[in-house]
């Protein structure tokens, strides 16, 4: 249930502001939206660092990107927690309703970060499995002696079997990545829902 206009105006008055500047809910909402923009930029950098790692970037470079991204995400979380505490101090149903959506946003963002890290691991594994199945190429000896031809055929059959197993593993891994991406879509929907509700506080 959306907070009523009366509740919003009462909360603005209690915070000592009737405009969209600092000190009122609209000001706090603007801060949250700005923090979310910072989060989006950090996710872009995180993804770019991971893609560079997939195509041959060093482990050290990727670890540096992970460390920097984690630090920025932690900073964003602390800022939003501070905003929530400020609103909680006001008390009342209006502030409580807004804080509830802020907590939902934070929970969804936490889940998104954990899943993003997990997806990096599984996407890398999928890339490795896909490349591995292509490196197994069966071949029979061209100039083999009659008694060794059968052995060459057996080796080719074994390699074909390995290729089949590798492709099956690659397919299973790709399915796992797709499932995780679907879960990510659900989390992003939760984030957008929370942001829509929080953004409502900017309306008169």
């Amino acid at each position: 249930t959306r907070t009523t206009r009366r509740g919003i105006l009462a909360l603005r008055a209690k915070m000592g502001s009737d405009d969209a500047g600092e000190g009122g809910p609209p000001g706090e909402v603007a801060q949250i939206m700005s923090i979310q923009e910072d989060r989006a930029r950090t996710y872009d950098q995180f993804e770019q660092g991971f893609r560079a790692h997939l195509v041959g970037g060093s482990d050290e470079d990727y670890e540096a990107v992970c460390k920097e991204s984690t630090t920025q995400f932690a900073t964003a979380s602390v800022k939003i927690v501070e905003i929530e505490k400020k609103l909680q101090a006001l008390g009342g149903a209006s502030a409580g309703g807004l804080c509830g959506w802020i907590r939902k946003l934070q929970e969804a963002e936490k889940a998104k970060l954990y899943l993003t890290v997990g997806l990096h691991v599984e996407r890398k594994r999928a890339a490795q499995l896909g490349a591995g199945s292509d490196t197994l190429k069966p071949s029979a000896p061209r100039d083999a002696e009659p008694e060794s031809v059968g052995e060459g055929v057996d080796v080719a059959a074994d390699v074909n079997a390995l290729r089949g197993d590798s492709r099956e593993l690659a397919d299973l891994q790709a399915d796992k990545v797709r499932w995780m991406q679907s879960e990510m879509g659900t989390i992003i929907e939760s984030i957008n829902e929370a942001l829509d509700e929080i953004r409502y506080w900017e309306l008169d």
Side-chain angles (χ1 to χ4, degrees):
T1 304
R2 292 187 180 277
T3 307
T4 63
R5 173 179 170 81
R6 179 180 297 178
I8 295 172
L9 293 176
L11 182 56
R12 287 184 181 180
K14 191 170 184 179
M15 296 187 77
S17 175
D18 237 356
D19 56 28
E22 293 295 327
E28 306 303 322
V29 168
Q31 291 178 45
I32 291 173
M33 296 304 163
S34 177
I35 292 168
Q36 286 301 115
E37 291 176 0
D38 291 340
R39 275 175 164 162
R41 283 190 290 269
T42 301
Y43 271 113
D44 286 342
Q45 295 169 2
F46 200 12
E47 176 65 17
Q48 290 171 13
F50 172 68
R51 291 186 178 183
H53 182 58
L54 273 186
V55 296
S58 69
D59 291 342
E60 291 76 13
D61 287 344
Y62 178 61
E63 288 170 3
V65 171
C66 289
K67 183 176 181 180
E68 176 64 21
S69 298
T70 300
T71 299
Q72 292 182 22
F73 286 133
T75 298
S77 182
V78 168
K79 288 180 179 178
I80 289 187
V81 168
E82 290 175 350
I83 292 172
E84 182 188 351
K85 287 181 179 179
K86 183 176 179 180
L87 291 169
Q88 283 178 335
L90 298 174
S94 298
L98 180 55
C99 288
W101 283 109
I102 292 174
R103 284 191 295 274
K104 289 181 180 180
L105 171 64
Q106 288 287 81
E107 290 168 1
E109 284 288 356
K110 182 178 180 180
K112 180 183 178 182
L113 180 55
Y114 282 147
L115 188 55
T116 297
V117 173
L119 266 168
H120 282 194
V121 172
E122 301 304 335
R123 285 168 62 192
K124 182 176 180 179
R125 188 171 298 165
Q128 291 170 334
L129 286 170
S133 65
D134 292 336
T135 61
L136 295 170
K137 299 185 181 298
S139 61
R142 293 181 179 178
D143 300 322
E145 293 296 328
E147 60 270 21
S148 65
V149 171
E151 181 181 347
V153 172
D154 289 342
V155 170
D158 289 342
V159 172
N160 278 329
L162 287 173
R163 290 190 70 187
D165 290 343
S166 295
R167 285 174 178 170
E168 183 177 356
L169 287 173
D171 289 343
L172 289 172
Q173 186 66 20
D175 287 342
K176 183 176 184 179
V177 169
R178 281 191 289 269
W179 175 81
M180 294 176 73
Q181 289 171 333
S182 176
E183 290 295 298
M184 180 65 78
T186 300
I187 291 172
I188 291 174
E189 286 179 3
S190 297
I191 290 173
N192 289 337
E193 179 187 12
L195 287 174
D196 284 344
E197 294 293 338
I198 293 170
R199 191 178 290 111
Y200 174 71
W201 287 76
E202 288 186 308
L203 301 180
D204 289 331

